[in-house]
């Protein structure tokens, strides 16, 4: 059973986002970004109460901007998904979740050391240039339990 429901279109969309956000961090980095996407679709808390599909996660607007910078800036996101990224996205959707993004709902590249919190959410770990953040204890049980 997949971690979240998805269609072939969702796989391609997620693959495009994973590549756009983390191609420079290799397959592992793209998997971590994919895990954040899946976690947001599972989360029934915080900023993610109204997003249940991969498409809703990718195109979510917060504070007047898309949650994922790649949607606004274009770059690789608007290129066709390649088979390698589709395989990685399907892996995320079906079963893959590992530290530091296993329970993460956020990531960013600070171009400096990772801060200990991100909007009051605790630092979970770092992979290459991206810092990952989990929901604070007691704020988002659905991420930790699977929904």
């Amino acid at each position: 059973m997949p971690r979240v429901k998805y269609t072939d279109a969702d796989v391609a969309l997620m693959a495009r986002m994973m590549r756009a956000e983390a191609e420079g961090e290799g397959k592992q980095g793209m998997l971590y970004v994919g895990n954040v996407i899946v976690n947001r679709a599972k989360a029934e808390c915080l900023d993610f109460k109204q997003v249940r599909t991969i498409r809703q996660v990718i195109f979510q607007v917060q504070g007047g901007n898309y949650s994922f910078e790649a949607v606004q800036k274009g770059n690789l996101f608007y290129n066709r998904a390649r088979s390698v990224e589709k395989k990685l996205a399907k892996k995320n959707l079906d079963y893959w979740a590992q530290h530091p993004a296993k329970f993460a709902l956020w990531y960013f590249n600070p171009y400096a050391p990772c801060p200990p919190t991100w909007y009051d959410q605790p630092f979970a770990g770092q992979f290459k240039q991206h810092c990952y953040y989990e929901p604070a204890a007691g704020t988002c049980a659905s991420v930790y339990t699977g929904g």
Side-chain angles (χ1 to χ4, degrees):
M1 182 172 175
R3 295 173 62 213
V4 294
K5 291 180 183 179
Y6 65 90
T7 65
D8 289 343
D10 292 329
V11 172
L13 181 63
M14 187 166 142
R16 289 173 30 214
M17 182 57 68
M18 291 165 65
R19 179 179 179 198
E21 291 280 323
E23 182 179 42
E25 297 192 350
K27 291 178 183 178
Q28 191 78 13
M30 287 189 276
L31 283 167
Y32 289 137
V33 166
N35 203 72
V36 169
I37 294 167
V38 172
N39 285 347
R40 287 181 178 188
K42 290 174 27 179
E44 295 178 14
C45 59
L46 304 167
D47 297 331
F48 311 107
K49 290 178 184 173
Q50 303 301 316
V51 294
R52 285 289 149 274
T53 68
I54 297 304
R55 182 168 188 75
Q56 289 171 338
V57 170
I58 299 293
F59 291 107
Q60 182 183 25
V61 174
Q62 295 176 303
N65 294 307
Y66 288 104
S67 295
F68 293 99
E69 197 172 87
V71 176
Q72 287 174 191
K73 292 189 175 179
N75 65 33
L76 295 174
F77 178 67
Y78 290 100
N79 290 334
R80 183 183 232 150
R82 299 181 302 195
S83 61
V84 66
E85 289 100 14
K86 287 181 183 178
K87 286 178 186 174
L88 294 173
K90 191 158 175 25
K91 188 174 182 177
N92 275 128
L93 289 159
D94 287 338
Y95 66 89
W96 194 91
Q98 289 185 13
H99 179 78
K102 185 172 185 174
F103 303 115
L105 290 174
W106 306 273
Y107 64 88
F108 81 110
N109 179 346
Y111 301 99
C114 297
T117 60
W118 178 247
Y119 293 101
D120 297 323
Q121 307 305 318
F123 175 63
Q126 180 174 356
F127 182 76
K128 295 190 178 183
Q129 299 301 311
H130 281 114
C131 305
Y132 292 87
Y133 294 83
E134 298 179 352
T139 63
C140 197
S142 58
V143 170
Y144 297 102
T145 63

